[in-house]
């Protein structure tokens, strides 16, 4: 079964500093990886995904993620954090299910707190 | 862009009653809908996957008779929590996969409180 792990429950960073939210994966075959953000009492918003191609994936709101096959990681990054980036971030991997369909398996989530 | 409308956003119901949550894909056809449950400060737990016109596939440990899922059209899926109990109180989120696309669009979630 596919899985992702987010080793940090919370990440604290000062506004203007670079941020990294970590994710490692365990898959059989080629990984299809995603990052989502969730604000309080809201659904998830898509940030970016890796299917194939360049290891550096650029996404929404200035976020990017680096796919590293040797380290089985897909860390989310942003060069300069904003207070408004404070939210819950989920890494996810796509898993094939019966009938030719797919589902997303989510990590435990990492709470990002950006301080002024 | 793809939008999924989920209603209601919040609902409070009495123990023993049933609650229906709707998810509609507003500007696209959703071949597959996913229903998740999220406990406070925890990740999303997939409850079931439904494909238009067929029975939902439930994840292990999810009671089919308690969480009824209907996906009657390519734009509407419903989750009915039957005979709700306080332990069913949670945040429920739907997600839709566009026909022929890799993307997943999430609804804004429903906070269910059973009293």
């Amino acid at each position: 079964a596919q899985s992702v792990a987010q080793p940090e429950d919370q990440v604290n960073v000062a506004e203007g500093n670079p941020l990294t939210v970590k994710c490692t994966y365990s898959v059989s075959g080629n990984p299809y990886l995603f990052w989502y953000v969730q604000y309080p009492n809201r659904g998830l918003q898509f940030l970016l995904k890796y299917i194939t191609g360049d290891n550096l994936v650029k996404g929404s709101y200035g976020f990017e993620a680096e796919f590293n096959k040797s380290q089985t990681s897909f860390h989310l990054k942003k060069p300069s954090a904003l207070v408004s980036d404070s939210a819950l971030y989920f890494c996810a991997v796509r898993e094939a299910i019966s009938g030719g369909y797919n589902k997303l398996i989510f990590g435990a989530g990492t709470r990002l707190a950006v301080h002024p | 862009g793809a939008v999924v409308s989920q209603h209601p956003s919040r609902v409070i119901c009495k123990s023993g009653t049933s609650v229906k949550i709707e998810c509609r894909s507003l500007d696209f056809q959703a071949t597959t809908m996913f229903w998740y449950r999220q406990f406070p400060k925890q990740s999303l737990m997939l409850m079931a996957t439904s494909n238009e016109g067929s029975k939902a596939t439930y994840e292990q440990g999810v009671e089919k008779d308690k969480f009824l899922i209907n996906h009657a059209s390519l734009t509407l899926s419903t989750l009915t929590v039957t005979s709700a109990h306080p332990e069913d109180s949670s945040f429920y989120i739907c997600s839709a996969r566009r026909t022929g696309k890799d993307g997943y669009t999430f609804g804004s979630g429903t906070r269910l409180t059973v009293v």
Side-chain angles (χ1 to χ4, degrees), chain A residues 7-57:
Chain A
E8 303 156 316
D9 291 337
Q10 179 150 337
V11 170
N12 297 297
V13 64
E15 187 175 30
N17 283 1
L19 70 87
T20 299
V21 183
K22 295 180 180 178
C23 173
T24 58
Y25 64 88
S26 175
V27 303
S28 55
N30 296 320
Y32 284 28
L33 298 162
F34 301 78
W35 274 103
Y36 286 86
V37 59
Q38 184 183 32
Y39 295 96
N41 294 310
R42 300 298 301 274
L44 274 65
Q45 296 179 30
F46 172 78
L47 286 178
L48 50 82
K49 67 180 178 183
Y50 172 83
I51 303 295
T52 185
D54 290 340
N55 290 341
L56 186 62
V57 180

Side-chain angles (χ1 to χ4, degrees), chain B residues 36-50:
Chain B
Y36 294 87
R37 181 174 181 176
Q38 186 181 29
F39 291 101
K41 299 183 180 181
Q42 293 189 29
S43 188
L44 283 73
M45 181 192 79
L46 181 64
M47 299 173 66
T49 304
S50 72

Side-chain angles (χ1 to χ4, degrees), chain B residues 9-13 19 21 67 81 84-86 88-92 110-114:
Chain B
S9 58
R10 291 177 179 271
V11 59
I12 300 173
C13 70
V19 173
I21 302 170
F67 299 100
V81 183
H85 290 282
D88 298 326
S89 298
S90 191
F91 193 58
Y92 293 87
T110 297
R111 169 95 36 216
L112 170 64
T113 303
V114 184

Side-chain angles (χ1 to χ4, degrees), chain B residues 1 3 8 19-20 25 35 38 40 90 100 104-105:
Chain B
V3 176
V19 173
K20 180 183 284 188
S25 55
W35 286 94
Q38 186 181 29
S90 191
Y104 302 82
T105 304

Side-chain angles (χ1 to χ4, degrees), chain B residues 62-76:
Chain B
V62 178
E63 298 176 61
K64 300 178 183 181
D65 295 332
K66 182 165 191 60
F67 299 100
L68 301 179
I69 292 172
N70 184 281
H71 191 167
S73 77
L74 283 171
T75 58
L76 173 65

Side-chain angles (χ1 to χ4, degrees), chain B residues 1 22 26 77 84 114-115:
Chain B
E22 284 191 357
L26 297 186
S77 178
V114 184
V115 298

